[in-house]
Amino acid sequence: MSAEATNPEARPEARPELRRRGRTRLDLRRLGRAALLGPTSRDRLPDAIGHVAEAHRAHHPDADLSLLRRAYVLAESSHRGQTRKSGEPYITHPLAVTLILAELGAETTTLTASLLHDTVEDTEVTLDQVRAEFGDEVCFIVDGVTKVEKIDYGAAAEPETFRKMLVATGNDVRVMSIKLADRLHNMRTLGVMRPEKQERIAKVTRDVLIPLAERLGVQALKTELEDLVFAILHPEEYEHTRALIAAHAGERDPLPAIADSVRGVLREAGIAAEVVVRPRHFVSVHRIARGRGELRGSDFGRILVLVGENADCYAVLGELHTCFTPVVSEFKDFIAAPKFNLYQSLHTAVATPEGHVAEVIVRTRQMHRVAEAGVVALGNPYATAPPAESPADCDEERADPTRPGWLSRLLDWQQSAPDPDTFWSVLRAELAQDREITVFREDGRASGTLSLPAGASCIDAAYAQYGEAAHGCIGARVNGRLTSLASRLSDGDTVQLLLAQDASSGPAADWLEHARTPAARIAISSWLQAHPDTAKPAATPARAPLSVVGARGGGGNAVADLPDATVRLAGCCTPVPPDAVAGFVVRGGAVTVHRIHCAAVAQMRALGRTSVAVHWRATADCRVTLLAESFGRPHLLADLTEAIAREGVEVVSATVEPPVEQRVRHTYTLQLPDATGLPSLMRAMRDVPGVYDVRRA
């Protein structure tokens, strides 16, 4: 099952790169009919699953196949007499699903559950029987894949089935592995369905199953599903792409010659590597055609280089960039920074002397296995875990080392979406977000990381960290700087969230415009619906800032090297000793003094203004402007003024802006008797209850 096969209708069992040398093509229809002819001896595997056993042993040579034999016997006997819409015996379906997973390297428990995945749903077999015969793990996986009864849920059956499946996946990712393989085989045989049903199933596959396959890293399933969906939902574009590929097949392909050159370069460098040309699948070719307009001969495939160790990947990269002309914009290092779906590789592109540009992927063989099979390649994630209670008898989720951040977020917000329609629409929106970022959180008590979708804001981080307590969030510091909650976060940012002390505070209606994650949007919407009177606050006339102005002014202890000039300290940066400063003559002949790094200095110099040398007098007194950010509360201004007075500092002027989202901003111009007391003054102001930031203007 190649992740980049050019024919979406080709069967994986017929592809030579994914079967062992000498393996014959598997005809599931013939084997399915043969399976109904009678029982087999108990001392050997039934012929119908011989190919499954062979594929399984290729990845797991020491696997115990007795469990597969018993599972097949139960599946075949329980499905006997049932047929698919195509007329084939029904047993061909679980056989095909199990073979898909076996080719990907799934372990025995997954294959056993795959053979039985439809027995509880479509036959008289019960979960208790499966548990008694095959154990708790197989039972849990089969139950996770089993659809809910349509008679109980009606139109909500499909959303609730996916909800149940996703919750089960949170405990065991093998549940979703089977569902993806199940959908792939159903999509391959979808031609017997009515066109409208084909379209409905294809849309669900596109919106839900393909993003899940991408997030779980199962590229081999994802790419074939993409091509099958493409053929159903966009038949004209599909046929056009097919024609492009067919036309290219009759032309000379430059990639094999480039691959030979790469082999020669690596051989001379002493690097053991396997170099192959990987054809692109239909959707990949279609995307390139849309992006570039005209396709080059090398656009129909990529060169894959497989090596033994991580260090060899970078050695290969060095040789490629030395012996060919690298296309710098195409380089990506997913080894040092893996994708959130476990994917690791080096991506680059090189140009040959003939002018051909070839994309090259470099990875180890283990990386290749994970890139193709994703979580399936990890085997049994619970193999080394201590024995636990039966999943049916335990309410706690099992610890899953393969459970990624996006799945944890999904499981959290789905609990707050009891309405199936809301769950279904939000699920599709969540899965449409195909990139993740990691931000570092700091709240004064604990630190850690948060995984968020790309484009997430501080609002999303607040709800991811605090849940419903984030209703009282009033601001955030990102990388140490105060910012608004609407600010978008970038990968690697450090975020500190500021919560109001008033427990009754709630989110503003415009938060929904900036919230990206379902958890945040659902929580905000629920609060606004429960508090309709606060959703649209009545308009109030804007209040002017409260100002208190003292009597002193002038240039403090700054002296300009200009006789008889009046000196003023700039209000934009309020320099104090021993700041490096510059002065500029302004209208009226006065000299305004700025800190050397003030933006006004750069503007003056850009205008050609000549600076005037300024120095500080020996006296230590100075003037400074400070900004204080705080939560709104009674007597705050009085407490801050008292704290300033205790430090022996005179208030020249003070401005208090009207509260915004329970935050108040104060601006103080202060006369200090000694510049060395500024740090102590700022600490004293920060110690006032409710004040969370004090900084110079």
Side-chain angles (χ1 to χ4, degrees), residues 16-148:
E17 70 271 23
L18 288 171
R19 65 172 187 262
R20 301 182 73 186
R21 190 179 301 276
R23 183 181 299 173
T24 59
R25 180 171 180 170
L26 177 60
D27 185 344
L28 283 172
R29 180 179 299 182
R30 177 181 59 79
L31 289 175
R33 288 173 179 163
L36 303 180
L37 296 180
T40 58
S41 171
R42 287 185 174 274
D43 59 355
R44 67 184 182 89
L45 285 167
D47 291 338
I49 56 169
H51 286 75
V52 172
E54 183 182 355
H56 187 37
R57 279 281 172 84
H59 293 278
H60 304 278
D62 300 325
D64 179 8
L65 301 180
S66 62
L67 202 63
L68 289 181
R69 186 194 70 81
R70 292 195 301 140
Y72 172 76
V73 169
L74 177 58
E76 187 278 323
S77 61
S78 60
H79 287 298
R80 187 174 298 168
Q82 297 178 346
T83 58
R84 308 191 77 216
K85 289 188 180 296
S86 61
E88 297 173 319
Y90 195 89
I91 191 62
T92 59
H93 172 65
L95 272 173
V97 172
T98 307
L99 181 61
I100 290 169
L101 293 168
E103 292 280 9
L104 288 174
E107 38 71 57
T108 308
T109 302
T110 304
L111 300 186
T112 302
S114 176
L115 284 168
L116 301 170
H117 79 272
D118 276 339
T119 53
V120 175
E121 181 180 326
D122 295 333
T123 75
E124 299 300 320
V125 175
T126 66
L127 284 173
D128 289 337
Q129 288 177 275
V130 173
R131 180 180 293 107
E133 183 71 20
F134 300 99
D136 291 330
E137 279 196 313
V138 172
C139 176
F140 181 83
I141 297 172
V142 171
D143 183 35
V145 184
T146 301
K147 295 177 183 177
V148 300

Side-chain angles (χ1 to χ4, degrees), residues 300-319:
F300 290 86
R302 292 185 287 190
I303 294 175
L304 174 65
V305 181
L306 299 178
V307 294
E309 304 292 337
N310 286 19
D312 295 336
C313 294
Y314 293 98
V316 169
L317 184 70
E319 293 298 327

Side-chain angles (χ1 to χ4, degrees), residues 635-652:
H635 311 298
L636 178 62
L637 180 60
D639 291 346
L640 266 170
T641 305
E642 182 182 351
I644 294 170
R646 282 199 303 265
E647 295 296 315
V649 175
E650 180 184 352
V651 178
V652 176

Side-chain angles (χ1 to χ4, degrees), residues 334-374:
F334 294 119
I335 295 179
K339 289 186 178 182
F340 67 91
N341 61 358
L342 310 176
Y343 180 86
Q344 287 184 287
S345 292
L346 296 178
H347 287 213
T348 189
V350 295
T352 67
E354 295 78 20
H356 298 298
V357 177
E359 291 187 37
V360 184
I361 299 174
V362 185
R363 59 174 72 133
T364 66
R365 289 176 177 81
Q366 173 60 20
M367 291 176 192
H368 180 62
R369 183 169 172 242
V370 174
E372 291 288 285

Side-chain angles (χ1 to χ4, degrees), residues 543-563:
R543 291 183 294 163
L546 172 64
S547 298
V548 179
V549 181
R552 294 193 56 172
N557 52 1
V559 179
D561 292 347
L562 197 64

